[in-house]
Amino acid sequence: MTTANASNTSARLTAVVTGASSGIGRATARRLVDEGWHVLAVARREDRLEELAAETGCEVLAVDITSDDSVDRLVSRAQELFGPGLNAVVHVAGGALGVETAAEADLEKWQRMYDINVLGTVRVTRALLPALRASGRGDLLFVTSVAAHEPYPGGSGYNAAKAGEHMLARALRLELNGERIRVIEIAPGMVHTEEFSLVRLGDQGAADAVYDGVEQPLTAEDCADVISYALNAPHHVNLDLVTVRPLAQAAAHHVARHQGI
């Protein structure tokens, strides 16, 4: 995709990227740094963040988005690095746990998914919104999922959590209308990353089976490409919702397998 490179602007653009220890968050932080953004990458695992910092030169901070105190430290660090303004918050932190039906729901898993995908996202948004307003060129970008829009058997908990995040984005777009803040949602389909399915299913064999027969699922870099395009587009252009899937996937639960795509 062709984008306006941030390094060509008169001032260096700034971003906080959550969930940056792996997968889409890590690829997004790397991509934005390559394009000249000043990035603060955050996640819970400090060792993974230090590796990212060494690779890219980005700033890093260990943050638990389910903790008020931890997010307060994020706000303080962002102010130290960027001053009173901030150009973008990229919400990638999230995840799925389990594939139980609603009738067999594990409520601890549901609670954890809601705490991370919804309440954690709200917590970070609320905390950093003043800085986005102060910048005069702010973006709130939410990486949700096709699961936010398409229910599927065994997905009810993740469907519900991601639908909550989707509705947060839609409500914010209405609430912030008239301000210089874009609200963008990127909803990926099947993405093959090192951890998503493994964390969800708890077994490497089961995780590998998710992608069985699909030769080209999306990669984290594919998603970072779309995120980069949305953030670097002229600021009067708002990509409200982008659904991105591999060619083999027609719906969350409808995938062509063993067909060479």
Side-chain angles (χ1 to χ4, degrees):
M1 291 186 178
T2 301
T3 62
N5 194 310
S7 62
N8 293 332
T9 63
S10 58
R12 194 177 183 192
L13 295 174
T14 58
V16 168
V17 179
T18 73
S21 62
S22 66
I24 296 172
R26 192 179 188 90
T28 298
R30 183 182 292 111
R31 176 65 178 268
L32 293 180
V33 170
D34 287 346
E35 293 175 338
W37 288 66
H38 193 184
V39 174
L40 174 56
V42 304
R44 289 180 295 116
R45 292 177 292 180
E46 190 168 8
D47 58 332
R48 297 295 298 273
L49 291 173
E50 293 299 336
E51 292 172 2
L52 179 63
E55 292 170 7
T56 66
C58 72
E59 309 287 347
V60 296
L61 182 68
V63 172
D64 178 356
I65 66 170
T66 68
S67 162
D68 288 337
D69 290 342
S70 190
V71 171
D72 286 345
R73 290 192 293 273
L74 167 59
V75 173
S76 296
R77 184 59 177 148
Q79 290 175 342
E80 290 173 1
L81 291 171
F82 308 139
L86 174 66
N87 294 118
V89 178
V90 184
H91 292 286
V92 185
L97 296 171
V99 290
E100 295 86 1
T101 65
E104 299 172 337
D106 182 328
L107 295 186
E108 290 186 3
K109 291 179 181 178
W110 279 59
Q111 184 67 59
R112 182 64 178 162
M113 286 188 283
Y114 194 82
D115 285 344
I116 298 172
N117 292 285
V118 182
L119 296 183
T121 302
V122 174
R123 184 177 285 105
V124 173
T125 298
R126 182 181 63 183
L128 292 176
L129 187 55
L132 292 172
R133 284 176 161 144
S135 74
R137 185 201 186 282
D139 289 330
L140 281 166
L141 190 148
F142 299 83
V143 178
T144 61
S145 169
V146 295
H149 307 273
E150 301 168 359
Y152 55 90
S156 55
Y158 188 52
N159 291 146
K162 282 300 185 183
E165 188 179 2
H166 163 67
M167 293 307 296
L168 168 64
R170 290 189 62 182
L172 278 164
R173 193 175 296 115
L174 296 173
E175 293 167 355
L176 297 175
N177 184 241
E179 300 189 42
R180 296 185 180 277
I181 299 176
R182 298 184 296 190
V183 179
I184 301 161
E185 180 183 352
I186 309 297
M190 179 185 285
V191 185
H192 193 177
T193 62
E194 58 187 310
E195 294 184 330
F196 179 84
S197 292
L198 179 59
V199 170
R200 182 175 196 175
L201 302 173
D203 176 80
Q204 188 63 59
D208 292 343
V210 172
Y211 312 101
D212 180 52
V214 179
E215 292 194 8
Q216 290 185 298
L218 295 179
T219 66
E221 288 72 23
D222 291 329
C223 297
D225 186 39
V226 178
I227 292 166
S228 167
Y229 182 86
L231 293 176
N232 286 307
H235 206 251
H236 70 282
V237 177
N238 195 107
L239 276 64
D240 284 16
L241 170 62
V242 178
T243 302
V244 53
R245 313 178 198 264
L247 178 60
Q249 185 180 39
H253 60 291
H254 192 76
V255 180
R257 300 183 186 275
H258 307 289
Q259 297 187 34
I261 56 176

